[in-house]
């Protein structure tokens, strides 16, 4: 059965740590700088969530997934911004996480063929900002939902990962 981790930090807006008997999942909907409207002690930055949950997600070889809408891409990285995607990816690599999509497709960050987000639902304003990072799990297949199939429901398309074992 799934349960909220006792490590849950309500000041990290929209980051949800879930535990099962065989898997840890840190779900994300990164609010980034917009979280400031909830107070000075609140963060929506992915890098802050990784820092806080690092010990929990890195523990032993326990299979773990960090996934969601990070509202971020290496194409938007700016100098001296702690929440840059490059810093996020480096922090996850440090604790043995890798992007399932990028590992499977061998595409480089920022050069993804399959977008996951269409700004204002416009098919020409496409970006890859949703991710599934995993640790101690082997990827069997990766699929990104198609614009035509999902745009009536959301401005995002899902990344569907099949792991070999969990």
């Amino acid at each position: 059965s799934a349960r909220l981790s006792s490590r849950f930090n309500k000041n990290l807006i929209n980051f949800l740590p879930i535990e099962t008997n065989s898997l840890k999942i840190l779900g994300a909907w990164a609010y980034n700088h917009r979280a400031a409207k909830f107070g000075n002690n609140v963060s929506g930055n992915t890098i802050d969530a990784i820092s806080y949950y690092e010990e929990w997600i890195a523990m032993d070889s326990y299979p773990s997934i960090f996934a969601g809408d990070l509202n971020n891409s290496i194409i938007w990285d700016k100098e001296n911004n702690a929440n840059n995607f490059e810093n996020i990816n480096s922090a996850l690599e440090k604790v043995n996480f890798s992007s399932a999509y990028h590992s499977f497709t061998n595409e480089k960050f920022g050069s993804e063929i399959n977008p996951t987000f269409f700004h204002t639902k416009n098919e020409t304003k496409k970006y890859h900002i949703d991710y599934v990072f995993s640790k101690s799990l082997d990827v069997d297949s990766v699929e990104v939902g198609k614009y035509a199939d999902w745009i009536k429901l959301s401005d995002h398309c899902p990344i569907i990962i099949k792991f070999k074992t969990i």
Side-chain angles (χ1 to χ4, degrees), residues 117-156:
F117 173 66
F118 298 88
H119 185 60
T120 63
K121 293 192 171 188
N122 184 330
E123 193 171 8
T124 64
K125 296 180 180 180
K126 53 191 175 186
Y127 304 97
H128 192 105
I129 63 170
D130 302 276
Y131 303 88
V132 177
F133 288 88
S134 63
K135 179 183 73 111
S136 301
L137 293 165
D138 293 321
V139 177
D140 189 43
S141 65
V142 172
E143 178 185 347
V144 176
K146 302 294 178 221
Y147 175 87
D149 296 337
W150 289 94
I151 202 60
K152 289 181 183 171
L153 302 169
S154 176
D155 51 1
H156 291 261

Side-chain angles (χ1 to χ4, degrees), residues 5-148:
S5 170
S6 61
R7 296 269 304 150
F8 174 65
N9 182 341
K10 65 181 171 67
N11 289 326
L12 290 167
I13 295 291
N14 301 332
F15 292 95
L16 191 63
I18 302 295
E19 297 175 344
T20 73
N21 292 335
S22 60
L23 183 69
K24 290 182 183 179
I25 302 168
L26 181 56
W29 176 23
Y31 223 55
N32 299 324
H33 64 279
R34 296 170 294 171
K37 69 182 178 183
F38 298 109
N40 293 335
N41 60 333
V42 175
S43 175
N45 289 334
T46 302
I47 199 71
D48 295 336
I50 293 168
S51 177
Y52 178 81
Y53 290 111
E54 179 178 3
E55 183 179 313
W56 179 75
I57 61 175
M59 197 181 301
D60 304 321
S61 61
Y62 204 85
S64 301
I65 295 172
F66 174 58
D69 174 3
L70 301 190
N71 276 310
N72 210 331
S73 171
I74 202 162
I75 65 171
W76 297 317
D77 280 0
K78 292 186 173 117
E79 195 173 333
N80 299 320
N81 179 356
N83 201 51
N84 276 345
F85 185 83
E86 184 176 345
N87 295 339
I88 292 166
N89 188 52
S90 293
L92 288 167
E93 285 179 342
K94 180 179 149 200
V95 290
N96 299 314
F97 277 75
S98 61
S99 166
Y101 174 90
H102 294 87
S103 297
F104 190 80
T105 64
N106 289 315
E107 293 174 19
K108 294 185 185 296
F109 290 103
S111 299
E112 296 88 357
I113 294 169
N114 298 295
T116 63
F117 173 66
F118 298 88
H119 185 60
T120 63
K121 293 192 171 188
N122 184 330
E123 193 171 8
T124 64
K125 296 180 180 180
K126 53 191 175 186
Y127 304 97
H128 192 105
I129 63 170
D130 302 276
Y131 303 88
V132 177
F133 288 88
S134 63
K135 179 183 73 111
S136 301
L137 293 165
D138 293 321
V139 177
D140 189 43
S141 65
V142 172
E143 178 185 347
V144 176
K146 302 294 178 221
Y147 175 87

